[in-house]
Amino acid sequence: MFEAVLVDALGDAVVALAGTSLELATNAEKASLIRAVQTAQDLLDGVKAEAMSSFAASGGPEDDGAPTVKAWARRELNLSSAEAGRLVTAGRTMRTLPPLREALNAGRVRLDHVHEFSTGLKKGGEEIITLGTDYLVSVAESHEPPALREEIRSWIDAIHPDSLDEAYIRGMDKRDLQVSRVGDGFVVDGFLDVTTGAKLKTVLDSLGRATGRDDRRAPSERRVAGLEALLDTVLDHGLPTRKGIRPQLQVTVDLDRLQGRPGAEPARLEGWGVIGDRLLGSMLCDSDVTGILTAGFTTGALPQAAVLNVGRSERLATLPQRKAILARQEGRCANPGCSNVSLEIHHLDWWARDLGSTDLDTLVGLCARCHHLVHAGRLHARSAGDGTTLFTLAGGTPLPDERRTARHLARQRLRILRDLLAGPANGARPAARAPAPAPATAPAPAAATQSAAGVDVDWDDEALVDWSVLLELERQQLQVV
């Protein structure tokens, strides 16, 4: 028969203990209290696990208006679903392994040891773990949970050696790696198989070693620094080029921003978004920079677009053209709604069918999937004649490019802000220019001029000319296309 009076007595004892002042206690008394509380807590953890498991098995949550024991624990105990599940599993483990339950009730092991047995039962099976229960409990009584975990794993492998190969195969099936933007940085998450994980650990351990006795960095900080050094080396030397363009980080920034003019648009790091001036300044310390004309026209001896045009003399886009297209499209597929960044260059006027030319305004960057859709006739792309591309479905339905429209409006807003902040020389507040209406497809940058010797560039005062700088980070250096 369950003695409910014991529960009341337990509560009264804990309340009384919590209300006891420790100011007059000696250090010896405090140490004795801590040991007693820890022992009691370990015993109570076992009682709670058994109670949770029994409560779930007998339909207690349903009787108390909850669909599952996890839902009940969240509502009544503020426990997460994972924690509630571990408690229920621990209760079942103690029923399966009576010697383990006896050791816990005697205070010789803790609930964390029970969790390791639960994992062992799941991986090795009840028969294998039951066979070695007495030995493994003795290990738990004299070792911390991580050491017990390794011993349980070794026990399973010794009895069932094929499990090693099975684990390897399962690991290969679960391989996954994701790098996601979260908050102020990136989160790296996934699962590596044995060999890949061992290689990564070996490299990080090597690169993350302390540089000397004065190196006070935490191991985690050294590992991150080592990974950054590895990535710098790979970007600098180790990645193959794609049509002459080697993968590298890219930053685009308006010339106005570099000159410190008010209201200039922030710099943008490819794969991340806008960045602050301090980070930009750090990147600029060791970078290659190329100016790219992204809007407006020149009145020099050579019109801006003609700088990069090659007509019918070459079928494939040149390296300067590829770099200009990447800058014009911010490294993303031109198809509205597609954000893929591995691009192929497509002739809007097809080279063979339409006798198209390899000129900047008739070239567009598409991902492999969208490029296939165009050639399969399921997506149509044509030049708007102003450096932009119009996309329609096979039935003629136009695709609105909300991404570029928003970009266009943002540029207009920043230009107005720049004018308001700058003001005329006499200090009077200028009237804000109304933004030009965004077209159905917001204008992409018209063309790009790379270093072209002998090109005479005169600026038309009536034209709004924007210069941007594309910074390609390779190894700690920004290389501008």
Side-chain angles (χ1 to χ4, degrees):
M1 179 179 178
F2 180 72
E3 298 288 345
V5 66
L6 295 176
V7 177
D8 297 333
L10 173 63
D12 294 340
V14 172
V15 170
L17 185 60
T20 301
S21 175
L22 299 178
E23 294 181 0
L24 300 179
T26 65
N27 286 336
E29 291 172 333
K30 293 176 183 176
S32 177
L33 173 63
I34 293 172
R35 285 192 289 267
V37 169
Q38 183 62 59
T39 299
Q41 183 173 322
D42 291 340
L43 294 174
L44 289 173
D45 283 342
V47 173
K48 181 169 67 173
E50 285 196 271
M52 285 280 288
S53 180
S54 177
F55 184 63
S58 62
E62 292 83 353
D63 292 342
D64 208 13
T68 64
V69 67
K70 294 180 179 180
W72 182 87
R74 285 197 305 269
R75 187 190 72 193
E76 299 292 333
L77 308 178
N78 288 327
L79 295 180
S80 67
S81 296
E83 188 174 0
R86 279 162 57 87
L87 286 172
V88 172
T89 302
R92 289 199 300 264
T93 298
M94 285 187 286
R95 288 199 303 272
T96 302
L97 306 174
L100 176 62
R101 180 179 183 275
E102 179 183 347
L104 180 64
N105 290 339
R108 299 195 300 269
V109 300
R110 304 177 57 195
L111 187 63
D112 287 341
H113 293 99
V114 178
H115 292 323
E116 299 300 339
F117 276 91
S118 298
T119 302
L121 286 170
K122 181 178 180 181
K123 291 184 176 180
E126 182 176 342
E127 182 178 359
I128 291 178
I129 299 301
T130 300
L131 184 64
T133 297
D134 292 338
Y135 164 69
L136 294 173
V137 169
S138 68
V139 172
E141 291 175 349
S142 57
H143 293 78
E144 292 296 313
L148 173 64
R149 181 186 313 134
E150 292 300 322
E151 191 59 32
I152 291 177
R153 183 179 301 167
S154 298
W155 178 265
I156 295 173
D157 293 340
I159 297 179
H160 185 27
D162 291 342
S163 63
L164 294 173
D165 290 331
E166 292 173 0
Y168 171 72
I169 295 173
R170 289 196 303 269
M172 294 292 288
D173 292 338
K174 293 190 293 184
R175 287 189 302 178
D176 177 52
L177 183 63
Q178 299 181 31
V179 181
S180 307
R181 177 178 175 176
V182 176
D184 296 329
F186 287 89
V187 167
V188 180
D189 188 24
F191 184 89
L192 302 181
D193 61 86
V194 174
T195 54
T196 305
K199 291 176 184 177
L200 178 62
K201 188 176 187 304
T202 300
V203 171
L204 292 182
D205 287 347
S206 175
L207 294 175
R209 291 172 182 162
T211 56
R213 62 182 181 181
D214 294 330
D215 189 346
R216 305 295 185 184
R217 297 175 300 169
S220 58
E221 185 179 356
R222 295 199 303 268
R223 284 193 293 271
V224 173
L227 177 61
E228 183 180 18
L230 174 63
L231 296 177
D232 288 343
T233 302
V234 171
L235 286 174
D236 195 20
H237 303 291
L239 288 176
T241 62
R242 179 177 176 83
K243 304 294 186 180
I245 299 179
R246 185 156 44 82
Q248 48 199 209
L249 292 180
Q250 295 181 351
V251 174
T252 305
V253 56
D254 284 350
L255 181 62
D256 285 347
R257 193 72 182 186
L258 293 179
Q259 294 176 334
R261 296 184 63 182
E265 186 174 2
R268 299 183 68 86
L269 171 62
E270 181 180 322
W272 173 259
V274 296
I275 59 174
D277 290 340
R278 291 182 182 273
L279 177 56
L280 174 64
S282 174
M283 293 176 172
L284 284 170
C285 286
D286 187 14
S287 64
D288 294 331
V289 179
T290 299
I292 297 180
L293 184 63
T294 58
F297 294 89
T298 66
T299 57
L302 198 60
Q304 85 173 62
V307 174
L308 300 182
N309 291 346
V310 296
R312 295 281 300 178
S313 63
E314 294 189 40
R315 184 177 70 86
L316 300 179
T318 65
L319 178 59
Q321 287 176 332
R322 291 179 181 276
K323 292 183 176 181
I325 291 170
L326 289 176
R328 183 174 70 188
Q329 299 178 193
E330 299 179 351
R332 294 182 294 184
C333 178
N335 185 14
C338 181
S339 58
N340 289 332
V341 296
S342 181
L343 305 184
E344 301 172 351
I345 305 303
H346 170 69
H347 287 77
L348 293 172
D349 297 325
W350 293 14
W351 176 264
R353 186 192 68 182
D354 305 325
L355 298 180
S357 59
T358 308
D359 294 340
L360 197 61
D361 286 350
T362 60
L363 299 174
V364 65
L366 300 173
C367 70
R369 177 62 177 168
C370 292
H371 199 180
H372 169 73
L373 292 176
V374 169
H375 283 274
R378 299 171 64 183
L379 179 69
H380 298 288
R382 62 182 177 86
S383 172
D386 58 359
T388 65
T389 305
L390 301 178
F391 288 87
T392 57
L393 299 177
T397 304
L399 296 178
D401 195 344
E402 298 179 357
R403 182 178 64 196
R404 291 189 177 82
T405 299
R407 182 74 169 161
H408 171 75
L409 293 176
R411 286 185 176 274
Q412 293 286 355
R413 181 176 66 252
L414 287 168
R415 289 167 189 162
I416 294 173
L417 178 61
R418 178 187 62 193
D419 291 343
L420 290 173
L421 291 176
N426 59 11
R429 187 179 183 86
R433 289 184 302 174
T441 300
T449 60
Q450 206 181 13
S451 50
V455 178
D456 180 22
V457 179
D458 296 324
W459 305 117
D460 181 354
D461 291 338
E462 298 301 322
L464 179 61
V465 181
D466 281 354
W467 278 86
S468 288
V469 175
L470 182 65
L471 313 174
E472 296 180 351
L473 284 69
E474 58 176 75
R475 199 183 158 263
Q476 271 311 26
Q477 66 180 352
L478 304 146
Q479 187 177 54
V480 176
V481 298

